[in-house]
Amino acid sequence: HYVSDMFLCQYACILSLYSCFLRHARSRNYVSEAEMCKLESVPLDFGDYHPLKPITVTESKTKKMNRKGSTSSTSSSSSSSMLDPLSSVLDGTDPLSLFAAAADPVPTTATMDSTRKKRDKDDSPAVGSDFEPWSSKRGEILARYTTTEKLSIVSGSFSRKAATTGSAVSEKVRTRLEELDDLEEGSQKELLNLTQQDYMNRIEELNQSLKDAWSSDQKVKALKIVIQCSKLLSDTTVIQFYPSKFVLITDILDTFGKLVYERIQSMCVDNRVSLPDNFSPECVNDTAKETCLNWFFKIASIRELIPRFYVEAAILKCNKFLSKTGISECLPRLTSMIRGIGDPLVAVYARAYLCRVAPIKYLFTTTCFCLLFQQIHGDTVQNQLVVQCVEIPLYLTLYSPAIDWILQCIAYRAPEILLTEMMERCKKLGNNALLLNSVMSAFRAEFIAARSMDFIGMIKECDESGFPKHLLFRSLGLNLALADPPENDRLQILNEAWKVITKLKNPQDYINCAEVWVEYTCRHFTKREVNTVLADVIKHMTPDRAFEDAYPQLQSIIQKVITYIYDFSLLFSVEKFLPFLDMFQKESVRVEVCKCIMESFIKHQQESTKDPVILNALLHICKTMHDSVNALTLEDEKRMLATLINGFIKMVSFGRDFEQQLSFYVEARSMFCNLEPVLVQLIHSVNQLAMETRKVMKGNHSRKTAAFVRACVAFCFITIPSLSSIFTRLNLYLHSGQVALANQCLSQADAFFKAAVSLVPEVPKMISVDGKMRPSDAFLLEFLCNFFSTLLVVPDHPEQGVLFLVRGLLNVIQDYTWEDNSDDKIRIYTNVLHLLSAMTQEAYIYHVDKVDSNDTLYGGDSKFLTEINKLCETVIAQILDHLKTLGKEETLKRQSQLALYFFNTILAHGDLRNNKLNQLSVNLWNLAQKHGFADTKTMVKTLEYIKRRSNQPEMSHFTDLALRLPLQSRT
Amino acid sequence: MEGSVNLQLSAKSVGVFEAFYNSVKPIQIINSTIEMVKPGKLPSGKTEIPFEFPLHMKGNKVLYETYHGVFVNIQYTLRCDMRRSLLAKDLTKTCEFIVHSLSQKGKLMPSPVDFTITPETLQNVKERASLPKFLIRGHLSSTNCIITQPLTGELVVENAEAAVKSIELQLVRVETCGCAEGYARDATEIQNIQIADGDVCRGLPIPIYMVFPRLFTCPTLETTNFKVEFEVNIVVLLHDDHLITENFPLKLCRM
């Protein structure tokens, strides 16, 4: 402490002594320096590698090959098995033999080769990703088939009876069977008047109790629960809910099937080696086989048909433990078992379940619908519908999920011939609409598209009273959106379809259909047809404000139109496009649609445009988006809207018609005044416009262009104050000032700079960056350095004093309240020294074309130089004062850094031939090292630099300097 | 090891008292005892003692298959007794084991049966006029059945005026016990399997399929003292609660 104090006293004396001396800026010849410092030019080799090039990762796609080879076997087996029903249909035999044919055991199993065995393992790997799994259909069905009617459920009381300890097997069996009987007869209660939600909860409870029973080893109870659940599927009261009920209950069955399968599998674990995935029945041990067999015996004795069917189907997979051909032998039997189910709806869903549990390859002829339809129109069903007040069209839609699923399973990767044949069968059945609809939703789109005309014909022939026709057209439209029909048929298809669609009375039906067909129209036709279609939609949706209920569909229509017509001049020449937009009267939807359109515009518009139609329409759209902004709009939303509008503004160009361009910007400013980023963009655009003008005039403005440029500058000057972010304003002032200067608008530039100077005191300590509060000093420092560099070339105003702006800025910096523990102010002062030394040069390092800077104005006048030196003095005094205040223990590190910084400044810009300055630099060097906070490496490097410089001409005094600078070793 | 046929007379055939007193003596088929371990001490821990029995029938008795019925029960058990010193109680454990006879020699002759049921073919009808019209046709693949194979066949409701409510297969056991006083013949249901639920499609063949339950069935048995036979009933229940039954005697065997 003592030593440092001593030093400080001495040092302060020296400093005060020097501060009254003039500071001598080194005179510089920028041109020769640049010459000297220039890097040796090396020819660049633009090879493959470039550090900024985006990295492209080439991913080698591993294609799933698991179906390899199986398709062929599928096709062969299917064609052979399909042969029978085909011929029988052609023969015109009665449906009885048809069914007999359908029931023929699938003749593929005998030729099970090893690859097939592998696929036996699980049915899921046998289907590719293009197969829509049940899980995705599930939610859809649950959401679609709901009811408000009261439901009832029959449930047993699952109280566990006292465990039977009887030793004899027979006793055990007997008690178990008794328990089963119990379930069937007594101990049940019917819960009535359940709402749909209650019902679902109840089923979930059952599902849970199944799992509980299983995990607590009450297998009989588990079986009872499952039987009881599947019994619910024979109940068709509240028929609208049936599809959902099916979904819920088969979930339980699936759980059960999985539990049984896993249990038997776990029994096969031998010496802790579990069964391989593709095991053969020989690997299964006797206990496991016996257990498995026991399950099947138990299920075979279930009294009622429907539970027996469902429970056996649920554990169908377990047949693998018994024999290789187990599943394929079981399936035909289970299939024919369904014939005993009288209710056609229940029967169809039973088939659907079978298709779900059975591996797809076995499912060629397991289904037949022929007689189904006869039954639907039979008395029993009709009576039931009358009782439940359900109309036929609604009733028929209940079939869709099941038939869709069945057909999807059958048609999956099926050969063309099979599909053709199935279509033929549909025709034979008198074009049953229900089946037709499912065919269209299950078969490959390409297949359907190629036969569109046939399908239209069939749809037309359908019975009016049955399945709703608009659903049929919708399904067809969905296919046509995915695949293309033959070239020649295209227009006819549209005409035929639209003829029907336009006649739909119910707006919801209409729009659901139209939504789908718009895509087809956009895909294959010109704007004329699209226009017609849009006009038709408007015509249908306007009466009674029907569009209010159809916003999602209308939105999707717009989406489709802009996906296909992305040439915006073409799009807006579709007359009905804008009237169509007018249907979106709810603001949130309207803005969404506008956003879509703008996104598409930004994505697809390649060249800038001045097309008045596009401009008008898009301005209107942007205005809509802008007007949706209010106090509650989220920042993200605002940013997004602003990005979209900016994208649009950037794409507008009137070419050489600069005045019109400016007036466009003026108009845009008045329109989008609430979105700051848009205003910022406009200022930049106008600045760019000014510079563009300058470029066109090659720097020599005529009277007219000068006036225009001033107009641009004025635009910026009055727009900037309306922004709220202070740094945006500062930077824009500076930027616009630079543009004004470049365009020889000196007084305007002064005005910008003055505005910037007077704004600096308002800079807050903390600013919000990306939603977080950050100290502003780094931003301010950066801005000020930038500002000072600009000020070098700004000529002094003849009526204001010398260096008016620099002084003004220095005063502002002086008065600004800086952070107590920051050296920013001093760093800026040190940087000001750079500026001042640059200002004393005879020729400045840079100029603005056609603007005389102070070097020319003053021509090295000594008064001017004196003024600069005075400024230097003041600034140095400030710096030294600050260095002195840093002499405290805790700030010594900062002192060392600042001293070195200052030393470097003097080294670079000062004329060290001046003794006093030389002495000052030596003192600073010592000060920097004094307390051991200096980085030795830096110091060594600095010294090396000085020595190297001393070799250059006129730099010999550096040699002396180097000798006077001791290096302090750490030790 | 013990094996016996227990016969019981139903209260219906003989008097309540006879039934109660179980007048028919159980017929012992097999009975033998072996000593597994000589008197002594078992080492502590788990001790496994292997044993085997020759199945020597008593006299000229036949080794019948295990069967659990109502009036006839054929059961085989193993009983292990452990005699212990005076102070400790003796230990006993009983366990049933199942006996399946060897395959019967000779080839099973399939005996398919076709049947047609109409109001006219019915017996035991009070007012034939009040019956709705119906025609049900069908066939059983064979009434000679292998016990391990299911009973199969088909049934077609060709037409029926009244809606069908349910079609069921009823498996019935017919047990006959003979004794000095005469014999008693009783038919009781083993199981009932529904093959059609609701108003099924006309003209569509519905499969007849039933697995014979284990323990409760055995190959058809005819001895001097008792008989165990099986029958199947096809029961059609119409919506107006008319019940139509068609009976088919079966012959079960093990192949």
Side-chain angles (χ1 to χ4, degrees):
Chain A
H1 263 266
Y2 180 70
V3 174
S4 78
D5 281 350
M6 280 292 287
F7 171 79
L8 269 180
C9 291
Q10 182 199 5
Y11 155 83
C13 284
I14 301 168
L15 290 190
S16 57
L17 196 74
Y18 282 100
S19 61
C20 42
F21 280 98
L22 290 186
R23 184 172 177 268
H24 294 264
R26 184 163 67 90
S27 66
R28 315 187 48 175
N29 184 342
Y30 290 121
V31 181
S32 63
E33 270 182 53
E35 251 343 284
M36 208 169 67
C37 297
K38 220 185 254 173
L39 288 171
E40 207 182 328
S41 69
V42 177
L44 273 177
D45 175 29
F46 292 105
D48 285 340
Y49 174 74
H50 188 280
L52 298 180
K53 211 170 149 185
I55 302 167
T56 45
V57 181
T58 34
E59 202 177 2
S60 57
K61 279 186 185 151
T62 48
K63 212 176 162 189
K64 278 194 178 173
M65 301 295 276
N66 48 10
R67 280 287 289 194
K68 197 180 175 185
S70 66
T71 353
S72 59
S73 65
T74 309
S75 59
S76 64
S77 52
S78 62
S79 49
S80 62
S81 62
M82 283 313 292
L83 218 99
D84 277 358
L86 179 64
S87 57
S88 62
V89 169
L90 293 177
D91 292 345
T93 30
D94 59 337
L96 203 129
S97 53
L98 232 171
F99 251 107
D104 273 350
V106 190
T108 56
T109 47
T111 55
M112 285 246 271
D113 54 14
S114 59
T115 50
R116 287 207 133 206
K117 235 190 291 169
K118 249 178 227 159
R119 279 187 291 107
D120 275 5
K121 175 187 112 197
D122 199 344
D123 53 332
S124 53
V127 296
S129 53
D130 52 340
F131 187 80
E132 193 186 358
W134 174 255
S135 52
S136 73
K137 303 236 172 198
R138 207 184 153 266
E140 211 177 290
I141 297 174
L142 284 180
R144 187 165 156 203
Y145 299 95
T146 56
T147 181
T148 48
E149 305 231 351
K150 296 291 181 196
L151 301 154
S152 64
I153 197 167
V154 180
S155 75
S157 52
F158 292 111
S159 55
R160 177 130 170 85
K161 288 193 172 175
T164 45
T165 46
S167 54
V169 177
S170 62
E171 245 173 80
K172 219 188 242 170
V173 169
R174 199 164 287 157
T175 40
R176 282 194 179 164
L177 284 172
E178 272 166 15
E179 276 178 40
L180 275 178
D181 289 345
D182 262 2
L183 174 86
E184 278 171 15
E185 280 131 33
S187 77
Q188 293 177 13
K189 58 175 185 273
E190 191 171 8
L191 297 170
L192 292 162
N193 283 332
L194 295 170
T195 63
Q196 185 183 332
Q197 192 52 47
D198 291 341
Y199 192 88
M200 289 163 83
N201 292 344
R202 178 79 194 123
I203 288 182
E204 184 41 45
E205 262 172 48
L206 284 173
N207 200 0
Q208 199 48 51
S209 50
L210 165 67
K211 285 179 193 158
D212 291 346
W214 190 271
S215 58
S216 59
D217 212 37
Q218 300 176 49
K219 304 285 176 333
V220 177
K221 183 176 163 188
L223 182 62
K224 276 204 273 186
I225 293 172
V226 175
I227 293 173
Q228 193 190 58
C229 288
S230 33
K231 221 188 255 183
L232 294 174
L233 284 174
S234 57
D235 172 23
T236 52
T237 51
V238 195
I239 205 157
Q240 311 90 301
F241 185 63
Y242 193 84
S244 292
K245 183 157 78 171
F246 171 79
V247 168
L248 294 171
I249 289 171
T250 50
D251 278 352
I252 299 183
L253 287 167
D254 288 345
T255 312
F256 176 73
K258 210 173 117 238
L259 289 172
V260 173
Y261 186 84
E262 280 167 4
R263 161 139 171 85
I264 296 173
Q265 199 173 29
S266 72
M267 292 173 80
C268 301
V269 176
D270 205 16
N271 297 329
R272 298 219 179 102
V273 181
S274 54
L275 221 51
D277 282 339
N278 51 341
F279 62 89
S280 67
E282 293 88 61
C283 315
V284 181
N285 63 36
D286 285 347
T287 335
K289 266 188 185 155
E290 189 58 30
T291 315
C292 189
L293 212 55
N294 212 17
W295 276 110
F296 282 110
F297 270 112
K298 225 175 267 180
I299 289 165
S301 67
I302 296 175
R303 206 190 83 84
E304 278 168 281
L305 175 67
I306 290 167
R308 191 168 68 242
F309 167 80
Y310 273 104
V311 179
E312 182 165 1
I315 65 161
L316 181 72
K317 216 172 124 190
C318 294
N319 272 302
K320 283 198 289 180
F321 294 108
L322 299 176
S323 82
K324 268 184 196 174
T325 55
I327 295 180
S328 53
E329 279 163 12
C330 254
L331 267 179
R333 185 171 55 73
L334 283 173
T335 311
S336 55
M337 212 164 140
I338 297 172
R339 297 184 204 162
I341 301 176
D343 188 308
L345 188 68
V346 178
V348 162
Y349 275 90
R351 276 177 211 278
Y353 185 65
L354 204 55
C355 290
R356 234 174 82 191
V357 291
I360 278 199
K361 57 184 171 166
Y362 296 131
L363 293 177
F364 307 116
T365 49
T366 48
T367 43
C368 186
F369 304 102
C370 316
L371 291 158
L372 171 75
F373 303 103
Q374 201 176 312
Q375 257 176 304
I376 289 176
H377 300 290
D379 288 343
T380 324
V381 172
Q382 298 290 351
N383 291 341
Q384 194 188 4
L385 294 186
V386 170
V387 171
Q388 293 198 31
C389 303
V390 176
E391 288 181 16
I392 279 279
L394 175 67
Y395 175 69
L396 288 179
T397 55
L398 297 178
Y399 284 85
S400 288
I403 300 185
D404 283 358
W405 176 257
I406 296 171
L407 286 178
Q408 187 192 333
C409 290
I410 298 173
Y412 179 68
R413 289 192 178 165
E416 195 92 332
I417 184 165
L418 173 68
L419 304 184
T420 322
E421 192 271 322
M422 298 211 20
M423 204 168 125
E424 286 303 317
R425 271 163 84 175
C426 292
K427 276 188 188 164
K428 285 272 159 11
L429 284 168
N431 285 328
N432 197 287
L434 171 61
L435 192 53
L436 201 57
N437 186 49
S438 294
V439 163
M440 285 192 284
S441 48
F443 284 12
R444 284 192 292 272
E446 298 80 27
F447 178 85
I448 306 291
R451 293 163 182 72
S452 306
M453 285 312 292
D454 291 353
F455 275 101
I456 289 187
M458 285 192 273
I459 294 174
K460 277 183 171 169
E461 280 168 37
C462 284
D463 185 11
E464 280 292 337
S465 64
F467 198 78
K469 257 187 194 180
H470 63 94
L471 289 183
L472 292 171
F473 273 105
R474 188 182 144 81
S475 304
L476 182 61
L478 283 171
N479 281 301
L480 292 177
L482 292 172
D484 301 336
E487 190 85 45
N488 301 332
D489 291 349
R490 287 181 188 170
L491 186 61
Q492 207 188 342
I493 292 172
L494 182 64
N495 283 336
E496 292 291 343
W498 206 266
K499 224 187 279 170
V500 179
I501 297 170
T502 195
K503 279 185 199 137
L504 291 170
K505 296 248 164 44
N506 181 343
Q508 271 304 323
D509 294 349
Y510 171 81
I511 196 69
N512 280 331
C513 237
E515 179 203 346
V516 172
W517 279 88
V518 163
E519 183 160 7
Y520 174 71
T521 318
C522 295
R523 203 176 152 112
H524 300 295
F525 300 98
T526 61
K527 67 165 193 180
R528 200 173 70 89
E529 284 82 1
V530 175
N531 195 39
T532 319
V533 167
L534 290 184
D536 195 57
V537 174
I538 295 174
K539 202 177 96 198
H540 274 83
M541 299 312 286
T542 315
D544 301 331
R545 300 177 69 81
F547 50 78
E548 282 181 341
D549 300 323
Y551 283 138
Q553 291 93 332
L554 293 174
Q555 226 174 323
S556 119
I557 290 181
I558 288 283
Q559 283 272 19
K560 283 165 186 161
V561 171
I562 57 178
T563 324
Y564 287 96
I565 310 182
Y566 42 76
D567 178 351
F568 274 70
S569 52
L570 183 66
L571 179 67
F572 288 121
S573 65
V574 175
E575 287 134 38
K576 290 294 178 185
F577 186 73
L578 288 177
F580 194 91
L581 287 186
D582 287 339
M583 282 200 292
F584 296 99
Q585 295 196 352
K586 191 175 160 197
E587 197 184 39
S588 58
V589 187
R590 199 176 169 78
V591 171
E592 273 312 306
V593 173
C594 290
K595 274 200 230 165
C596 288
I597 298 175
M598 287 316 292
E599 267 164 21
S600 154
F601 176 77
I602 290 168
K603 194 170 152 202
H604 295 293
Q605 190 71 21
Q606 303 287 340
E607 287 164 2
S608 45
T609 176
K610 61 173 180 179
D611 183 339
V613 178
I614 298 186
L615 292 192
N616 262 329
L618 289 184
L619 267 181
H620 175 71
I621 287 167
C622 287
K623 178 100 178 100
T624 311
M625 297 201 295
H626 169 267
D627 291 351
S628 73
V629 174
N630 57 31
L632 296 175
T633 313
L634 297 172
E635 277 305 313
D636 270 349
E637 175 77 5
K638 277 194 208 167
R639 189 163 31 224
M640 187 169 178
L641 294 178
T643 316
L644 292 173
I645 297 177
N646 283 347
F648 163 59
I649 290 173
K650 282 187 215 161
M651 291 314 284
V652 176
S653 163
F654 290 90
R656 293 293 284 268
D657 193 349
F658 290 155
E659 298 208 345
Q660 198 174 355
Q661 184 91 35
L662 184 62
S663 62
F664 168 76
Y665 290 141
V666 172
E667 195 189 345
R669 181 178 60 185
S670 67
M671 273 182 163
F672 307 127
C673 53
N674 285 337
L675 285 170
E676 273 196 23
V678 178
L679 292 181
V680 173
Q681 174 62 39
L682 284 171
I683 292 169
H684 281 303
S685 298
V686 169
N687 276 332
Q688 205 185 354
L689 191 61
M691 293 311 281
E692 202 71 22
T693 318
R694 181 175 174 275
K695 203 165 126 196
V696 170
M697 299 306 289
K698 304 211 169 60
N700 298 314
H701 281 297
S702 68
R703 180 178 297 218
K704 197 178 158 202
T705 57
F708 174 72
V709 166
R710 265 182 238 124
C712 291
V713 172
F715 175 98
C716 298
F717 194 70
I718 56 170
T719 312
I720 295 173
S722 59
L723 301 173
S724 67
S725 158
I726 193 146
F727 277 103
T728 317
R729 261 189 286 166
L730 282 174
N731 285 319
L732 282 174
Y733 271 135
L734 180 57
H735 186 68
S736 306
Q738 288 166 344
V739 171
L741 203 57
N743 284 294
Q744 300 127 45
C745 306
L746 298 184
S747 54
Q748 282 84 351
D750 269 351
F752 277 118
F753 296 136
K754 268 186 226 163
V757 170
S758 52
L759 196 57
V760 170
E762 287 173 32
V763 173
K765 285 267 151 45
M766 305 291 272
I767 54 161
S768 156
V769 179
D770 293 336
K772 282 179 199 152
M773 292 309 280
R774 294 268 165 75
S776 65
D777 48 2
F779 295 94
L780 187 56
L781 201 64
E782 187 188 314
F783 168 72
L784 287 174
C785 292
N786 196 355
F787 197 5
F788 277 124
S789 329
T790 310
L791 286 182
L792 175 66
V793 288
V794 180
D796 277 348
H797 194 279
E799 283 160 25
Q800 312 278 2
V802 175
L803 300 182
F804 166 72
L805 286 169
V806 178
R807 279 167 197 278
L809 189 52
L810 280 172
N811 285 336
V812 167
I813 293 169
Q814 174 72 36
D815 294 339
Y816 186 79
T817 34
W818 297 90
E819 283 293 336
D820 289 339
N821 54 356
S822 95
D823 301 322
D824 289 332
K825 188 165 130 185
I826 300 311
R827 281 177 201 280
I828 292 167
Y829 279 155
T830 322
N831 290 347
V832 169
L833 285 180
H834 303 174
L835 170 69
L836 292 175
S837 71
M839 277 185 156
T840 59
Q841 305 298 326
E842 262 173 51
Y844 288 172
I845 185 165
Y846 44 82
H847 289 98
V848 177
D849 198 22
K850 304 248 176 343
V851 175
D852 291 332
S853 296
N854 285 340
D855 53 346
T856 339
L857 283 185
Y858 295 106
D861 184 63
S862 62
K863 263 190 190 165
F864 174 66
L865 292 181
T866 322
E867 282 295 322
I868 293 179
N869 278 336
K870 267 190 203 160
L871 263 181
C872 280
E873 251 176 71
T874 328
V875 171
I876 292 179
Q878 291 272 345
I879 298 173
L880 293 177
D881 269 353
H882 187 79
L883 276 177
K884 212 172 359 176
T885 57
L886 289 179
K888 287 170 210 140
E889 183 79 42
E890 64 274 13
T891 52
L892 284 176
K893 187 168 184 186
R894 278 163 58 198
Q895 191 191 38
S896 158
Q897 282 170 348
L898 267 190
L900 191 64
Y901 189 56
F902 191 24
F903 172 80
N904 282 332
T905 304
I906 293 177
L907 203 61
H909 297 281
D911 183 359
L912 288 170
R913 277 172 299 196
N914 178 302
N915 282 336
K916 308 296 176 191
L917 205 54
N918 203 320
Q919 183 57 45
L920 176 60
S921 59
V922 174
N923 284 348
L924 285 171
W925 175 268
N926 288 332
L927 182 62
Q929 288 196 102
K930 186 77 192 167
H931 300 285
F933 284 105
D935 177 33
T936 322
K937 236 185 210 166
T938 320
M939 299 310 265
V940 171
K941 285 233 167 108
T942 314
L943 204 56
E944 273 172 15
Y945 167 75
I946 294 170
K947 281 178 187 159
R948 213 168 46 237
R949 283 289 300 272
S950 66
N951 295 333
Q952 290 167 2
E954 292 180 40
M955 288 291 180
S956 50
H957 55 282
F958 267 49
T959 326
D960 301 336
L961 180 66
L963 290 175
R964 293 178 65 196
L965 300 178
L967 257 184
Q968 207 170 48
S969 71
R970 268 282 155 83
T971 50
Chain B
M1 176 180 65
E2 195 183 0
S4 61
V5 182
N6 279 294
L7 299 175
Q8 195 174 9
L9 293 175
S10 72
K12 203 171 64 187
S13 324
V14 294
V16 179
F17 290 104
E18 284 92 338
F20 183 75
Y21 288 118
N22 196 10
S23 56
V24 188
K25 267 204 312 199
I27 307 159
Q28 216 163 43
I29 306 168
I30 204 164
N31 190 3
S32 54
T33 312
I34 52 168
E35 189 185 50
M36 288 168 76
V37 184
K38 292 230 162 13
K41 250 192 169 167
L42 288 176
S44 66
K46 190 174 170 183
T47 307
E48 285 188 13
I49 305 157
F51 68 91
E52 65 179 3
F53 272 111
L55 289 173
H56 286 313
M57 273 71 77
K58 270 183 129 183
N60 53 357
K61 295 278 188 341
V62 187
L63 198 64
Y64 303 124
E65 283 203 18
T66 301
Y67 166 76
H68 292 268
V70 179
F71 303 106
V72 178
N73 264 304
I74 306 172
Q75 202 171 4
Y76 297 88
T77 52
L78 279 172
R79 198 180 75 230
C80 180
D81 294 321
M82 184 154 94
R83 311 228 174 278
R84 300 201 286 181
S85 56
L86 278 172
L87 292 171
K89 253 188 166 174
D90 293 349
L91 294 177
T92 302
K93 179 92 183 158
T94 320
C95 166
E96 180 175 2
F97 69 93
I98 314 289
V99 172
H100 280 175
S101 59
L102 294 171
S103 300
Q104 282 157 18
K105 282 180 196 88
K107 221 177 160 201
L108 179 85
M109 290 303 288
S111 50
V113 184
D114 289 330
F115 59 88
T116 308
I117 315 172
T118 60
E120 288 71 37
T121 61
L122 295 180
Q123 304 155 1
N124 216 348
V125 191
K126 279 174 195 141
E127 280 180 83
R128 210 172 285 271
S130 71
L131 274 177
K133 284 211 167 57
F134 59 83
L135 169 61
I136 298 167
R137 269 208 297 251
H139 73 272
L140 291 176
S141 308
S142 172
T143 50
N144 289 343
C145 299
I146 303 173
I147 196 164
T148 52
Q149 304 285 313
L151 170 76
T152 54
E154 256 181 8
L155 179 142
V156 188
V157 181
E158 295 285 8
N159 57 61
E161 269 181 359
V164 177
K165 200 174 181 181
S166 172
I167 303 176
E168 286 156 22
L169 294 177
Q170 191 182 31
L171 181 65
V172 172
R173 50 169 107 72
V174 183
E175 295 161 314
T176 314
C177 303
C179 59
E181 291 90 29
Y183 70 93
R185 189 171 187 272
D186 293 284
T188 46
E189 177 186 299
I190 303 176
Q191 69 174 13
N192 196 343
I193 297 289
Q194 189 186 34
I195 58 166
D197 180 21
D199 195 15
V200 292
C201 212
R202 305 290 183 264
L204 183 66
I206 296 160
I208 292 174
Y209 182 91
M210 181 166 66
V211 177
F212 294 111
R214 297 189 285 190
L215 295 177
F216 303 106
T217 49
C218 66
T220 304
L221 197 58
E222 247 178 277
T223 66
T224 45
N225 296 343
F226 64 96
K227 277 201 270 189
V228 181
E229 291 157 309
F230 298 92
E231 286 172 0
V232 68
N233 289 327
I234 291 174
V235 183
V236 180
L237 196 63
L238 296 179
H239 242 287
D240 47 12
D241 280 339
H242 276 108
L243 188 103
I244 306 154
T245 308
E246 189 78 14
N247 178 273
F248 301 94
L250 300 177
K251 187 166 169 23
L252 299 189
C253 57
R254 191 176 293 277
M255 283 287 172

